[in-house]
Amino acid sequence: MKDLISRLTLEEKVQLMQHHSPAISRLGIPAYDWWNEALHGVARTSEKVTVFPQAIGMAATFDTDAIHKMGDITSTEGRALFNEDLKSGKTGTRYRGLTYWTPNINIFRDPRWGRGQETYGEDPYLTAKMGAAIVRGLEGDDPHYLKSVACAKHYAVHSGPEYNRHSFDARPSVFDLWDTYLPAFRELVTKAKVHGVMCAYNRLNGQPCCGNDPLLADILRNQWHFDGYVTSDCWALKDFAEFHKTHPEHTIAMSDALLAGTDLECGNLYHLLAEGVKKGLHSERDINVSLSRLFTILFKIGMFDPAERVPYSSIGREVLECEAHKQHAECMAKESIVLLENKNHLLPLDASKIKSIALIGPNADNGQTQLANYFGTPSEIVTPYMSLKRRLGNKIKIDYLPGVGIVDKLKNAPSFAQVARKAMQSDVIVFVSGISADYEGEAGDAGAAGYGGFASGDRTTMQLPLVQIELLKELKKTGRPLIIVNMSGSVMSFEWESRNADALLQAWYGGQAAGDAIVDVLFGHYNPAGRMPLTTYKSDNDLPPFENYSMFGRTYRYFKGEPRYPFGYGLSYTTFAYSDMQCAGEIHTGDTVRVTVTVSNTGYCDGDEVVQLYVVHPQDGRKQIPLCALKGFKRIHLKRGESTRVSFTLAPEELALTETDGNLMEKSGQVTLFVGGGQPNYVAGVSSPLTIKGAPYQVW
């Protein structure tokens, strides 16, 4: 590699450090575009590919095995496309490379953030474990070659708002930085061994993240020993001079980004690095360091080796949207659905007793909603209406009426009273509510007018659009059972819905197979077991100011109010019981502790349970301590009447607390371990006290 780099001119080197990297034919270097996306399946390609539920929906599965498999499927399909380009000598097209700028492991600290749908929720532990699983799935397990390249983003402290992300200066406390915003990045870098990191648009404590010495040089490289590549977010380096105003002009800004550790620019200014050498701002040796990291990645994906040596080179286009891949997309869609209300056990519906269904709502037959953002294009998007019509249309009369748009009434459509009169003729009403990526998402990609949001795609309210509630109130007057299936990338406050719906399902943006997944849940072909990866607050008034990055009063760990649906919550068609918890009563600091518990299916049907372990530390008014913290989870399947033993092993880092200086310390004292199907105080479970003795033990 050193020999290759030595043969490049300075001008060639800096061209290779931009996302659209040109071919250097005299040295046999093919063109390559580093920019590709794979948030929930290969994205933005013209090919037909498998589209999974949006990331927040996958988080609701609490299933690391499933998301690992999803990552593996995604890299398989991406490999097929890349292999074709490499064989034909047509590399260099955007969205055809193997460097995927995913996963987004920022913390969904505020439900108004439009891009929160791209994350794995509000909890650092869940985010870390789900993010690590997809990294391992994407990158594969070959000792020499990467199947594809994952990228942990956006590093760091990037969680909205969208409208000012190019100039915003996040200033969290040292405690919040290390307790909330960095743990998932640490997990992916030090344990999952992710090979890419994307630095964020915003500043952290006055310094742009892509030129932030503490973040990139000290924490990422020195403390965590990261040896992969760092890319800027797209056109983030332009922000240094133009929006952050931290640099007088672009050449100086590019030099600072390079010296801090940004190896690749998504943008068009890194050619100025050549001028920076001439001006003495940095050396050509500094450029060589970054270039060697980039070439290492290209070597690891096999760009310069014979195909017979690369274990993934034989993957062909027959894998694209193959049956096994489509089945897993449907499986994850089913696993993601959260049953929030089921009054009088209305669900599951009995198809033999229902003669007609009124299917209403803006997302009942809206395939685009199901694809969310950063999506690929499948051959077919199965909506709830399509699924009902195909599977039950010859048995049950299905009266479909959109009834209303997402944020406004439909033109030349029946009045709400007329829709209600039509619905009254059916045995049950299924209303598919929600919003879409038109109303929440990334700045510039979302922000359609009419939902009280910024043009950036953030929301200003957690309420369902009022026009939908207006129609729901008319439907409620019919007296027919009312089932609401909600599609969104975040939580709604569900104030009216929770009180008036007979059943309430949160279905997220479920990908290409969402319709079949929803119908399977409604009719009991699948027993729902998704869990909320977010706290459902009762009111917008429960939320601190959006631009305040303090975690005080945010998420289940620090919110002291009463949620409508807590983090980790979800109902089932069966019931589970916990018993016989066993663990040591006393350990020393630095030790691990094994926890085992018996879980039994005590209900009338088979089903999944998400077993959750929480650590509860005594509250101390002198410092910030989580009310409780998830430190283990396993999704299991139990047949009716079946029992099994579930075990967890807690390491010191799971038993430790973050200090005000950011150090993670395990100290002597007593904690409570709780295992159940949700948080303590909200579900039945088993608990055990644990006494920790010994001198303080610093985890990091």
Side-chain angles (χ1 to χ4, degrees):
M1 187 188 304
K2 288 183 179 179
D3 179 67
L4 177 61
I5 292 174
S6 71
R7 296 172 186 268
L8 292 164
T9 67
L10 177 60
E11 286 70 25
E12 288 171 335
K13 289 177 181 179
V14 298
Q15 289 178 45
L16 293 173
M17 294 172 67
Q18 292 178 299
H19 73 272
H20 184 66
S21 173
I24 311 294
S25 56
R26 65 183 181 84
L27 295 176
I29 299 174
Y32 185 75
D33 197 305
W34 290 77
W35 187 350
N36 206 349
E37 308 286 355
L39 180 61
H40 49 120
V42 176
R44 296 181 173 178
T45 174
S46 60
E47 304 281 355
K48 301 299 184 184
V49 293
T50 310
V51 180
F52 295 86
Q54 178 60 295
I56 192 67
M58 292 191 289
T61 70
F62 278 64
D63 189 340
T64 53
D65 291 338
I67 199 170
H68 178 276
K69 184 176 180 179
M70 171 265 168
D72 180 60
I73 287 171
T74 297
S75 59
T76 294
E77 296 195 358
R79 262 286 169 180
L81 301 177
F82 177 75
N83 288 343
E84 281 192 354
D85 288 0
L86 194 60
K87 288 174 184 176
S88 63
K90 295 180 180 178
T91 58
T93 302
R94 187 177 299 177
Y95 307 134
R96 299 278 291 199
L98 289 175
T99 41
Y100 296 120
W101 290 346
T102 199
N104 183 340
I105 55 169
N106 293 131
I107 298 301
F108 201 171
R109 65 184 180 94
D110 191 302
R112 292 167 292 198
W113 184 34
R115 294 194 75 178
Q117 61 177 293
E118 303 172 24
T119 76
Y120 302 113
E122 69 182 31
D123 181 60
Y125 183 86
L126 178 65
T127 298
K129 298 306 178 185
M130 299 299 276
I134 193 174
V135 165
R136 294 184 176 106
L138 287 169
E139 296 198 338
D141 56 7
D142 187 87
H144 303 294
Y145 292 95
L146 294 170
K147 192 176 182 186
S148 67
V149 188
C151 181
K153 68 182 187 184
H154 309 81
Y155 184 69
V157 198
H158 181 79
S159 301
E162 285 292 295
Y163 82 96
N164 62 355
R165 62 182 182 166
H166 295 281
S167 59
F168 184 69
D169 186 13
R171 291 184 174 269
S173 66
V174 174
F175 171 84
D176 284 332
L177 178 67
W178 286 95
D179 183 63
T180 295
Y181 297 113
L182 291 185
F185 286 99
R186 187 184 188 279
E187 175 94 9
L188 267 61
V189 169
T190 65
K191 296 183 181 179
K193 304 298 182 182
V194 68
H195 283 78
V197 168
M198 175 183 282
C199 46
Y201 286 119
N202 54 278
R203 280 173 284 159
L204 175 63
N205 297 322
Q207 204 172 13
C209 287
C210 290
N212 195 295
D213 300 300
L215 272 182
L216 298 176
D218 182 21
I219 297 172
L220 187 62
R221 298 289 184 186
N222 295 337
Q223 296 186 37
W224 295 347
H225 308 294
F226 178 65
D227 60 0
Y229 84 103
V230 173
T231 179
S232 76
D233 206 338
C234 293
W235 288 273
L237 301 192
K238 182 179 71 172
D239 293 343
F240 288 23
E242 294 187 15
F243 296 106
H244 292 307
K245 307 294 186 182
T246 53
H247 293 74
E249 49 91 14
H250 289 312
T251 302
I252 295 174
M254 297 309 105
S255 179
D256 275 5
L258 172 72
L259 294 173
T262 297
D263 305 304
L264 181 82
E265 184 206 11
C266 181
N268 57 2
L269 291 175
Y270 248 16
H271 68 278
L272 295 174
L273 291 175
E275 182 180 339
V277 171
K278 296 169 186 175
K279 289 184 176 181
L281 298 174
H282 54 263
S283 69
E284 191 166 351
R285 184 179 300 176
D286 296 318
I287 289 174
N288 293 345
V289 169
S290 287
L291 200 57
S292 67
R293 293 170 182 157
L294 299 178
F295 271 123
T296 296
I297 297 297
L298 298 180
F299 276 105
K300 283 181 177 288
I301 62 174
M303 276 193 71
F304 300 100
D305 289 345
E308 59 269 18
R309 190 182 297 176
V310 183
Y312 309 113
S313 63
S314 62
I315 298 173
R317 67 169 39 247
E318 68 276 359
V319 303
L320 299 179
E321 251 197 334
C322 66
E323 189 59 34
H325 294 182
K326 290 191 287 187
Q327 287 179 4
H328 193 58
E330 183 177 343
C331 172
M332 292 205 77
K334 287 188 282 195
E335 286 197 4
S336 73
I337 294 173
V338 186
L339 179 61
L340 296 173
E341 299 282 352
N342 192 19
K343 296 166 186 173
N344 300 315
H345 302 288
L346 173 63
L347 297 179
L349 300 173
D350 187 340
S352 66
K353 296 180 180 179
I354 294 177
K355 296 181 180 179
S356 60
I357 292 177
L359 180 66
I360 302 169
N363 286 327
D365 193 32
N366 189 341
Q368 195 61 39
T369 290
Q370 296 171 199
L371 296 185
N373 71 350
Y374 283 87
F375 58 88
T377 303
S379 298
E380 181 182 55
I381 308 168
V382 181
T383 66
Y385 175 57
M386 290 170 60
S387 183
L388 277 172
K389 190 175 179 180
R390 284 181 187 175
R391 300 165 69 183
L392 295 168
N394 61 344
K395 300 177 182 178
I396 299 173
K397 182 183 179 185
I398 301 163
D399 288 322
Y400 166 60
L401 286 170
V404 66
I406 289 178
V407 299
D408 49 24
K409 295 182 179 180
L410 299 173
K411 294 181 180 179
N412 303 317
S415 68
F416 288 177
Q418 290 172 317
V419 173
R421 282 196 294 272
K422 181 71 172 175
M424 190 180 294
Q425 300 171 20
S426 297
D427 296 324
V428 64
I429 300 170
V430 177
F431 187 92
V432 188
S433 66
I435 51 177
S436 72
D438 289 332
Y439 300 95
E440 59 176 343
E442 186 173 8
D445 290 341
Y451 185 42
F454 303 115
S456 64
D458 291 326
R459 294 190 293 155
T460 56
T461 177
M462 291 185 294
Q463 289 185 21
L464 192 67
L466 296 179
V467 69
Q468 294 184 46
I469 296 177
E470 184 181 346
L471 176 53
L472 281 165
K473 289 178 178 179
E474 287 297 318
L475 296 174
K476 181 67 176 178
K477 294 176 184 177
T478 66
R480 295 293 183 263
L482 176 60
I483 301 167
I484 298 176
V485 179
N486 188 71
M487 293 184 185
S488 62
S490 181
V491 291
M492 300 295 173
S493 53
F494 290 136
E495 180 180 1
W496 186 92
E497 303 92 307
S498 64
R499 290 184 286 107
N500 290 279
D502 295 287
L504 177 59
L505 292 166
Q506 175 64 33
W508 314 104
Y509 301 134
Q512 67 185 59
D516 282 339
I518 289 166
V519 171
D520 274 348
V521 168
L522 289 176
F523 286 90
H525 303 301
Y526 187 83
N527 186 353
R531 296 293 188 268
M532 293 300 292
L534 300 164
T535 298
T536 304
Y537 302 94
K538 288 187 174 182
S539 166
D540 295 335
N541 295 328
D542 289 332
L543 301 175
F546 196 173
E547 296 185 19
N548 182 352
Y549 265 70
S550 168
M551 290 305 297
F552 183 79
R554 292 190 185 277
T555 77
Y556 80 97
R557 294 189 307 144
Y558 297 110
F559 176 62
K560 295 183 179 180
E562 182 181 355
R564 191 171 310 283
Y565 304 112
F567 172 91
Y569 175 85
L571 301 175
S572 171
Y573 295 153
T574 189
T575 55
F576 297 92
Y578 290 76
S579 61
D580 192 22
M581 181 174 180
Q582 294 184 5
C583 67
E586 182 178 303
I587 62 169
H588 283 81
T589 53
D591 292 344
T592 60
V593 59
R594 183 177 173 83
V595 181
T596 60
V597 63
T598 296
V599 184
S600 304
N601 184 338
T602 56
Y604 299 100
C605 62
D606 304 346
D608 286 5
E609 170 72 332
V610 177
V611 184
Q612 302 167 48
L613 186 154
Y614 292 86
V615 176
V616 184
H617 289 265
Q619 291 295 303
D620 182 344
R622 295 170 296 176
K623 57 184 179 181
Q624 199 169 345
I625 295 175
L627 300 171
C628 66
L630 180 73
K631 296 298 179 183
F633 61 92
K634 291 184 179 179
R635 184 167 180 142
I636 62 172
H637 182 79
L638 289 176
K639 295 183 180 297
R640 173 185 173 184
E642 184 182 7
S643 298
T644 192
R645 293 290 288 177
V646 177
S647 63
F648 300 94
T649 299
L650 297 178
E653 68 182 89
E654 276 87 53
L655 297 169
L657 287 172
T658 305
E659 299 289 296
T660 55
D661 60 5
N663 290 325
L664 189 66
M665 298 286 292
E666 184 186 22
K667 294 182 177 180
S668 61
Q670 189 171 81
V671 301
T672 300
L673 307 181
F674 174 87
V675 182
Q679 283 185 56
N681 302 321
Y682 296 106
V683 298
V686 289
S687 62
S688 179
L690 174 66
T691 300
I692 303 173
K693 292 187 174 182
Y697 177 83
Q698 183 170 338
V699 181
W700 64 68

